[in-house]
Amino acid sequence: MKSPERIDKILQRIVKNMALEEKIKDYIIIEKWPQIVGERIARHTRATSMDTDNLYVSVDNPVWKAQLFLMKDRILKKINDLGFNLKDIKFKIG
């Protein structure tokens, strides 16, 4: 009789077979957005979604959108230093 398989091994196989690794990575950036940008910026923004190259962020007013545009390179570097390969951050009012 075959011994039972460990749940962590089963989950790893499922994640790989369903190609969920990229979606999980996307979720990590969205979840960690407040830690990446800091509490002050996080109060005015929310990372909402991602595609292959871009992170989409809602900003609560045009002044913050302009400020974040100036900080975009620094924020991208922090994200990519975590092991990601984003090309751009798209800020939108909303």
Side-chain angles (χ1 to χ4, degrees):
M1 180 176 183
K2 188 176 174 184
S3 62
E5 191 173 358
R6 291 176 40 141
I7 189 73
D8 62 332
K9 300 295 182 192
I10 295 169
L11 289 174
Q12 286 174 1
R13 192 172 60 248
I14 290 170
V15 166
K16 185 176 180 182
N17 289 343
M18 295 180 71
L20 295 175
E21 291 169 330
E22 287 303 312
K23 294 207 179 288
I24 291 170
K25 284 178 77 173
D26 294 354
Y27 178 74
I28 289 170
I29 291 179
I30 291 169
E31 180 186 342
K32 290 189 178 282
W33 177 253
Q35 291 87 9
I36 292 167
V37 297
E39 183 181 321
R40 182 170 175 235
I41 293 172
R43 282 195 304 263
H44 300 278
T45 61
R46 185 172 55 93
T48 57
S49 63
M50 288 182 61
D51 60 29
T52 306
D53 295 326
N54 305 295
L55 173 65
Y56 297 91
V57 176
S58 284
V59 183
D60 65 5
N61 67 61
V63 175
W64 272 103
K65 181 180 178 188
Q67 179 65 30
L68 288 166
F69 182 80
L70 297 173
M71 299 172 65
K72 184 183 346 186
D73 289 339
R74 245 183 312 178
I75 297 168
L76 268 173
K77 181 175 178 356
K78 284 177 97 173
I79 291 170
N80 289 334
D81 285 349
L82 295 172
F84 298 93
N85 191 27
L86 285 180
K87 305 279 189 269
D88 199 7
I89 302 173
K90 308 284 186 179
F91 299 106
K92 62 183 179 192
I93 305 297

